[in-house]
Amino acid sequence: MDDLVAGRWLPVIGAGMSRNAVVAPGQQVPLWDDLGRELAADLQDYPYAGALDAVSAYAHEYGRPRMVERVADALLINEARPGDAHRAFCSILFDIVCTTNVDFLLERQYGATSRHCRPIVDEDHLAVNDRTNTTALLKLHGDVHHPARLVLTEEDYDGFLDKYPLLATYLANLLITRTAVLIGYSLDDPDFRQVWQVVGERLGKSRRLAYAILVDAKGTDVARFARRGVKVISLPGSRAKYTHVLATAFDQLREYMQTHLIGASHVTEEEPLTEFSLPQGAVTRLCFFAVSLGLQPQYRDQVFPLAERAGLVPVTAADVIAPGENYTAKIDAIMRRSVAAVVDVTTQNTILELGMLMGMQKPLQTLVVVEEGTVLPTDLANQRIARRAKGPVADQPKLLHSFDEWFRGVAADIQPRLAEEPLRLLGAHEYRAAVTSAITHLESLLRTALEKEENLLGRAYALRSLAGLAAKRGLLTEAEHQKLRDWMPVRNMVVHSQESVTRAKATEIVRGIMAIGQRLRPNA
């Protein structure tokens, strides 16, 4: 699970996964042995001696083109559609997936989402760098659209390492540096098993453990994988409900990854760190900015203060240093903790990040910024749009006014939820989170109240300074100001450590701040 969060999984998908496809009644995508028996039935006087032998005999008897066509028909290439297990699996943001399947179920499922899938079939594909929001799909045995690249017969398997040395080396490197997780894969293929064996011989006890996810595993399955150096994770449930059990497990894995990724990351800015310290599902003030590196200095100087004055907390991908190299998983985790997003669609990365936002089940309030003269795609017709000239942002008062107006609208929308959140968290016994939520809510209220008299400049005023100004203006009594000075170290301890907060202390802070907030609220 730690490797999952760190982006070090190498899922290896086999024919068992294709068994979860949606097909017509009475049909079923065959497993490897089933495929061999189907082809063997077309051979006269042939004593079945295993799938590999049967496929090889079929190719010898009828020729390779006919063999490829027969395999495509047997695998229901044109009829089969991804099932729930494919949906759940592809929702986990893996940067690379390896498969020995020669069908297109994974590609079709990725195509149904906002995530791009880049198949790696030939060795020259290895030289192409992945884009953000992309899953590289290493199709070790090719696919039926590349007949010459297919690995199905004895000749194909015997010549794999000599014919495709770069693919073998690439796979070996992945097995050395990542944790292989076999899903619907038996590890019977001689080419994959040979690479796995070589890695084991070279590294010995230093070879990373591999795992196989099975449903209701039998003792013989566990023993067979153990002989090959693979630990079995047996999911409870009936094999008759194989698809449902797998889909549920994948959904739980995705949730675990999203929940724990930020906690395993290093957040470089204090205010975002405070918001990220809240539990998954809590209301935050985070506003995610998807902005190119070239524009970020202008946004930090001119736009971020406007968001902060409205009570929001700006955050970018650069503010979160996540483990591993799975950039997309980090972006996804930030988005899911945010309440709003600003996307300046000037680069391929920001366009892909906008696609991720639009593909979320619960889309965030999003402001899309485009350069003047840009022709907008039709799918942006319902989005809030701000147009930016090519010059400095500081010289565009109309644009800055649009930002300011939008930020204030977002802040007003979330204010009722922010006001209720501390008491909800207190009732849920989330005492650390209740303290953080209460004090950040008070900070937002103080900013709003002080703006009527002060020209606040974003981060120039931290909570301690805001409290001091509020006391001078009579918005806080001296007793309340002193209590707040006593409460702030508790909040800082929660954000920067794992120390617990007692129920009594959390109740004191939340109730005290709710009383102050009742008076400060604009509609009070």
Side-chain angles (χ1 to χ4, degrees):
M1 299 301 283
D2 290 341
D3 285 342
L4 174 69
V5 174
R8 289 195 294 263
W9 268 34
L10 174 65
V12 183
I13 307 299
M17 185 67 168
S18 296
R19 199 73 168 221
N20 298 292
V22 177
V23 295
Q27 292 184 318
Q28 192 173 47
V29 177
L31 297 175
W32 177 233
D33 187 65
D34 300 326
L35 177 65
R37 291 184 183 278
E38 280 198 45
L39 270 63
D42 296 341
L43 298 171
Q44 294 184 354
D45 301 324
Y46 173 75
Y48 185 70
L52 181 57
D53 186 79
V55 174
S56 302
Y58 191 101
H60 178 76
E61 182 69 22
Y62 297 113
R64 189 174 183 86
R66 176 58 186 155
M67 180 271 290
V68 174
E69 294 168 358
R70 185 68 180 85
V71 167
D73 289 341
L75 294 177
L76 306 174
I77 291 294
N78 296 321
E79 296 89 349
R81 292 293 177 266
D84 285 343
H86 293 92
R87 172 202 55 77
F89 174 80
C90 292
S91 70
I92 306 173
L93 300 179
F94 295 116
D95 58 342
I96 186 165
V97 173
C98 177
T99 181
T100 56
N101 295 343
V102 299
D103 56 36
F104 305 99
L105 290 167
L106 290 173
E107 291 96 320
R108 285 173 179 156
Q109 181 56 49
Y110 280 120
T113 69
S114 60
R115 188 163 180 80
H116 177 69
C117 169
R118 184 176 70 86
I120 299 175
V121 179
D122 287 313
E123 291 187 330
D124 57 352
H125 294 167
L126 296 171
V128 179
N129 291 322
D130 287 343
R131 299 184 300 171
T132 302
N133 197 29
T134 297
T135 293
L137 182 61
L138 177 59
K139 305 199 76 172
L140 198 64
H141 291 167
D143 57 47
V144 295
H145 286 174
H146 300 81
R149 174 63 184 82
L150 273 175
V151 178
L152 287 175
T153 67
E154 292 173 345
E155 183 181 0
D156 297 330
Y157 279 105
D158 292 343
F160 179 83
L161 295 182
D162 291 331
K163 195 172 181 180
Y164 307 109
L166 288 182
L167 280 175
T169 301
Y170 183 64
L171 175 62
N173 179 65
L174 292 172
L175 294 173
I176 290 170
T177 58
R178 296 185 177 227
T179 296
V181 180
L182 315 184
I183 302 168
Y185 185 59
S186 62
L187 200 59
D188 286 337
D189 297 311
D191 54 348
F192 190 102
R193 198 163 70 244
Q194 187 171 352
V195 174
W196 177 242
Q197 184 177 353
V198 169
V199 171
E201 290 174 352
R202 294 291 189 272
L203 297 182
K205 293 183 179 180
S206 296
R207 183 177 67 180
R208 300 182 69 86
L209 287 176
Y211 299 86
I213 296 179
L214 305 181
V215 175
D216 190 25
K218 297 179 180 178
T220 53
D221 297 325
V222 176
R224 177 167 52 84
F225 277 107
R227 290 196 304 270
R228 295 169 179 176
V230 178
K231 287 183 175 290
V232 167
I233 298 174
S234 180
L235 301 178
S238 167
R239 293 193 179 190
K241 296 183 178 180
Y242 182 63
T243 296
H244 173 73
V245 174
L246 275 186
T248 301
F250 294 148
D251 283 336
Q252 292 173 348
L253 288 169
R254 182 194 65 246
E255 184 68 24
Y256 185 93
M257 187 177 186
Q258 292 170 350
T259 302
H260 290 79
L261 182 60
I262 295 297
S265 304
H266 175 65
V267 183
T268 60
E269 298 291 336
E270 181 72 16
E271 288 299 311
L273 176 62
T274 300
E275 299 299 312
F276 282 128
S277 70
L278 294 169
Q280 188 86 3
V283 181
T284 73
R285 299 177 296 148
L286 289 168
C287 181
F288 173 62
F289 280 79
V291 181
S292 67
L293 291 175
L295 285 171
Q296 277 197 26
Q298 294 188 59
Y299 268 82
R300 290 184 183 276
D301 183 54
Q302 298 294 323
V303 182
F304 281 21
L306 299 176
E308 290 164 339
R309 287 175 63 177
L312 302 176
V313 177
V315 62
T316 70
D319 297 329
V320 179
I321 303 174
E325 300 176 357
N326 196 337
Y327 179 83
T328 310
K330 176 178 75 170
I331 296 297
D332 179 72
I334 297 173
M335 288 178 178
R336 293 180 185 278
R337 302 297 294 275
S338 301
V339 294
V342 175
V343 185
D344 194 310
V345 286
T346 52
T347 66
Q348 188 64 40
N349 280 0
T350 54
I351 291 172
L352 290 170
E353 287 163 13
L354 177 60
M356 291 176 64
L357 283 164
M358 296 175 66
M360 293 176 65
Q361 288 186 344
K362 295 182 179 179
L364 307 180
Q365 294 192 60
T366 303
L367 178 63
V368 180
V369 184
V370 297
E371 277 192 350
E372 290 180 351
T374 301
V375 178
L376 296 176
T378 55
D379 57 356
L380 292 183
N382 297 323
Q383 295 291 327
R384 178 72 178 270
I385 304 294
R387 296 191 177 274
R388 174 179 54 77
K390 291 185 178 181
V393 173
D395 298 338
Q396 302 178 51
K398 185 177 179 180
L399 174 63
L400 293 175
H401 177 73
S402 297
F403 278 124
D404 187 50
E405 184 182 57
W406 187 77
F407 290 141
R408 291 180 185 278
V410 172
D413 287 343
I414 66 171
Q415 195 60 244
R417 294 163 59 203
L418 284 174
E420 298 170 356
E421 194 68 358
L423 288 174
R424 184 189 72 80
L425 292 168
L426 186 65
H429 308 296
E430 295 274 5
Y431 301 131
R432 288 164 48 88
V435 169
T436 301
S437 179
I439 292 183
T440 53
H441 173 54
L442 178 61
E443 180 180 353
S444 179
L445 291 176
L446 289 175
R447 283 181 182 276
T448 301
L450 285 167
E451 272 212 330
K452 298 174 182 177
E453 304 178 26
E454 302 282 344
N455 183 23
L456 299 180
L457 299 176
R459 294 180 183 173
Y461 286 86
L463 177 57
R464 189 173 295 278
S465 299
L466 289 173
L469 283 172
K472 288 181 181 179
R473 299 293 181 269
L475 297 174
L476 293 175
T477 66
E478 184 55 40
E480 290 170 338
H481 187 203
Q482 181 56 51
K483 284 183 178 179
L484 189 54
R485 287 198 295 263
D486 294 338
W487 293 338
M488 282 190 287
V490 180
R491 193 279 301 268
N492 295 338
M493 177 270 293
V494 167
V495 173
H496 295 285
S497 76
Q498 294 300 315
E499 290 190 40
S500 60
V501 177
T502 65
R503 177 180 180 179
K505 176 56 70 174
T507 302
E508 173 197 335
I509 294 174
V510 170
R511 298 291 183 188
I513 286 179
M514 290 297 101
I516 297 172
Q518 193 68 33
R519 191 177 70 255
L520 290 177
R521 245 184 248 117
N523 59 352

